[in-house]
Amino acid sequence: MTSVKEQAAISRLLSFLQEWDNAGKGTRTQILTNFIEANKGKTGPELELEFSQGASLFLIRLTTWLRITYPLLSCLEKILRSIGIFLSAVSSNQYLIEFLEIGGVLTLLEILGLEKIKEEDKKESVKLLQIIASNGRKYKELICESYGVRSIAEFLAKSKSEETQEEVQVLLDALVHGNPKYQNQVYKGLIALLPCSSPKAQQLALQTLRTAQSIIGASHPSIVDCVLKVLGTMHLEVQYEAIELIKDLVHCDVRLPLLKGLVALLIPSIKETSKLQAKIFTDSTVPQLTAHLPVFLQQAAAAKTLGILARSSLGLAEELLHFRVVHSLMTAMGNTDHSNSQRLASLTLQFFVQTFPLVEEHVRKSMGEELYQLFLDNAEILYAKIDSIQADILAANKVNVTKELLLLSGSNSSSSFSLGPGDLNQVECITHLEKDITESKE
């Protein structure tokens, strides 16, 4: 037989549940407010004590109400926060299982995709997904099996709140860790985010990609084109993250195409620049400026990135020489339509000239003594001192140190241009890539 105290507790629980069942939206909202204030941070046993061992009865009501009416709920944030109290409570695995059994994950993911639902409500949905993912591998797999990666990534791209986007990043980061079955799916979802129009989403995706890359190791081929296109951004914080990712990728299996792609960005095709300029000049709503053409932004960012890579590793610098990086940098220095490209290309070329005597010899010969002295005096402001004829000399340069480098690396004499011990396969790869570069320019 139950004691008087237990009977009184059961009576209070039944009275509470009856009040909930009979209440309208206004009353239910107040009940939720009181519940959140009174129970935030409680453990599972404490919630059971509060509800006379019947807490699950209230959770089922909350979940059912959410599942049936979430597109129309005006108090969606409160109901999600209330469910969160159950799911985040210590020693409350039974609540998590009950929520999942009724389709909780699918509901949370559907909330992210509905346009009519407020951003604050979607953020609470993301937080619940974080709680679910934090419970272990099988729960991360459940989210991914429910097409969660796609839904979460799309929401990150469309969200207008940076605070919410940062919560989404935490969730994606959780799905990358300890989730070997689906970590590649998350990795590809992050790559798919890079072309989106949200700078914040791009920044966060790039940050998370660095983590994913270190976990997975092997790179997806599509990452090269995607990260190189991001270099065309006007947002320096995004460019910074892209360069940091590139610094990691040069140590992965996409090293050669990545380096080749960076050098190629130094010389935008005439077709690209003329097409973009025509588009801008025929649009009266766009300022008549070429300074922000994406291909020129890419050009400047590529020059900057190549300088960072070359300074970080002499081996990388030597490898870049085989891609005719000196010729491409000088061509970028002649781009009078974009002074930042000229400045950054000049600074990077300065490193190669100071580091490799062979490069110094070819650059001096190509520039001529007067222009070369201007370059030596102050490479950073050279663009402001040269005239149109000197700019044309730079743009039309024919510098090619590749053949001499191959001869040096193949000779028995000691040389600073060696490609590394026994790296004959790399020489062969470089030769093929040089052929590709030559054919692409014809």
Side-chain angles (χ1 to χ4, degrees):
M1 294 197 45
T2 58
S3 66
V4 174
K5 187 176 181 180
E6 289 172 336
Q7 288 179 342
I10 293 171
S11 178
R12 285 197 302 273
L13 172 63
L14 294 176
S15 176
F16 172 79
L17 295 177
Q18 186 175 23
E19 179 186 8
W20 174 267
D21 292 339
N22 296 330
K25 286 185 180 180
T27 303
R28 285 189 173 185
T29 300
Q30 187 57 52
I31 292 173
L32 291 175
T33 301
N34 296 337
F35 172 77
I36 293 168
E37 291 176 356
N39 298 284
K40 187 176 181 180
K42 283 189 176 181
T43 64
E46 287 172 336
L47 287 171
E48 287 300 319
L49 183 62
E50 175 72 20
F51 284 89
S52 305
Q53 309 306 312
S56 290
L57 295 175
F58 184 47
L59 176 59
I60 289 172
R61 281 166 167 77
L62 291 176
T63 308
T64 303
W65 192 37
L66 172 69
R67 186 83 178 120
I68 294 173
T69 61
Y70 66 86
L72 305 174
L73 278 174
S74 58
C75 58
L76 185 55
E77 182 182 4
K78 288 186 182 297
I79 196 169
L80 290 171
R81 288 178 63 190
S82 298
I83 292 172
I85 287 174
F86 284 100
L87 302 190
S88 61
V90 177
S91 304
S92 62
N93 194 55
Q94 69 181 78
Y95 301 142
L96 177 60
I97 294 171
E98 290 166 1
F99 179 71
L100 298 180
E101 285 178 346
I102 204 170
V105 166
L106 284 173
T107 302
L108 296 176
L109 293 172
E110 286 168 7
I111 287 171
L112 298 183
L114 292 179
E115 293 183 5
K116 294 182 179 179
I117 293 180
K118 294 184 295 184
E119 190 93 358
E120 295 81 0
D121 298 341
K122 293 181 179 182
K123 183 171 73 173
E124 291 301 324
S125 182
V126 169
K127 288 181 177 180
L128 290 188
L129 289 167
Q130 289 174 4
I131 294 170
I132 294 169
S134 69
N135 277 272
R137 174 176 170 176
K138 68 177 182 179
Y139 298 103
K140 295 174 185 179
E141 290 179 352
L142 176 60
I143 293 172
C144 295
E145 287 165 0
S146 306
Y147 302 98
V149 174
R150 180 175 178 176
S151 300
I152 294 163
E154 287 180 353
F155 174 55
L156 175 57
K158 294 177 181 178
S159 174
K160 304 300 181 184
S161 163
E162 291 192 358
E163 186 179 339
T164 301
Q165 288 175 311
E166 288 169 358
E167 293 289 350
V168 178
Q169 183 198 26
V170 172
L171 175 58
L172 287 169
D173 187 72
L175 294 178
V176 166
H177 287 87
N179 189 16
K181 187 176 180 180
Y182 289 102
Q183 63 188 17
N184 272 298
Q185 187 183 101
V186 182
Y187 175 63
K188 292 175 184 177
L190 290 166
I191 295 174
L193 271 170
L194 296 185
C196 77
S197 59
S198 168
K200 186 65 176 180
Q202 289 179 315
Q203 180 188 11
L204 296 175
L206 288 163
Q207 288 175 352
T208 314
L209 265 172
R210 292 188 65 198
T211 302
Q213 190 65 61
S214 66
I215 293 171
I216 295 169
S219 307
H220 193 275
S222 67
I223 196 171
V224 173
D225 285 340
C226 289
V227 76
L228 290 180
K229 285 178 181 176
V230 172
L231 290 178
T233 181
M234 294 173 60
H235 301 271
L236 292 179
E237 70 277 10
V238 179
Q239 182 191 102
Y240 170 81
E241 296 298 342
I243 293 173
E244 290 298 303
L245 178 58
I246 288 171
K247 286 162 63 177
D248 293 341
L249 290 173
V250 292
H251 301 294
C252 299
D253 48 355
V254 293
R255 175 192 184 96
L256 288 179
L258 183 58
L259 295 179
K260 175 186 173 183
L262 282 168
V263 175
L265 290 180
L266 294 173
I267 309 179
S269 69
I270 296 174
K271 183 178 178 181
E272 277 186 313
T273 53
S274 60
K275 180 173 65 177
L276 287 166
Q277 286 174 339
K279 183 178 179 181
I280 285 182
F281 292 140
T282 55
D283 186 349
S284 59
T285 64
V286 179
Q288 303 298 298
L289 297 172
T290 60
H292 292 156
L293 284 178
V295 289
F296 290 161
L297 293 170
Q298 279 182 305
Q299 182 187 53
K304 178 181 178 180
T305 306
L306 288 165
I308 292 170
L309 294 177
R311 291 180 181 90
S312 70
S313 164
L314 186 61
L316 264 176
E318 293 176 358
E319 195 170 340
L320 286 167
L321 291 176
H322 288 269
F323 297 129
R324 295 195 67 190
V325 69
V326 174
H327 160 72
S328 299
L329 286 168
M330 291 179 67
T331 303
M333 288 166 63
N335 179 14
T336 55
D337 286 326
H338 198 239
S339 60
N340 202 35
S341 289
Q342 293 178 289
R343 183 180 69 85
L344 292 168
S346 185
L347 288 171
T348 298
L349 180 65
Q350 182 183 50
F351 168 80
F352 283 99
V353 168
Q354 293 173 343
T355 307
F356 304 110
L358 181 62
V359 173
E360 189 271 342
E361 177 187 338
H362 279 262
V363 170
R364 180 192 290 268
K365 183 178 178 181
S366 177
M367 284 187 178
E369 199 59 36
E370 182 183 352
L371 179 55
Y372 185 71
Q373 285 304 317
L374 285 174
F375 171 68
L376 286 184
D377 289 343
N378 195 329
E380 185 168 9
I381 62 171
L382 177 67
Y383 72 92
K385 293 186 175 182
I386 61 175
D387 56 33
S388 59
I389 295 175
Q390 291 169 323
D392 288 342
I393 289 173
L394 291 167
N397 84 90
K398 302 296 182 183
V399 172
N400 187 354
V401 299
T402 306
K403 291 181 180 179
E404 291 181 55
L405 291 177
L406 289 174
L407 287 172
L408 284 170
S409 64
S411 67
N412 292 326
S413 60
S414 61
S415 169
S416 64
F417 293 101
S418 62
L419 291 175
D423 208 354
L424 295 177
N425 289 332
Q426 192 178 52
V427 173
E428 186 178 348
C429 288
I430 289 170
T431 304
H432 284 302
L433 287 170
E434 286 166 356
K435 182 180 178 183
D436 291 342
I437 293 171
T438 303
E439 290 174 352
S440 68
K441 294 180 185 298
E442 292 177 350

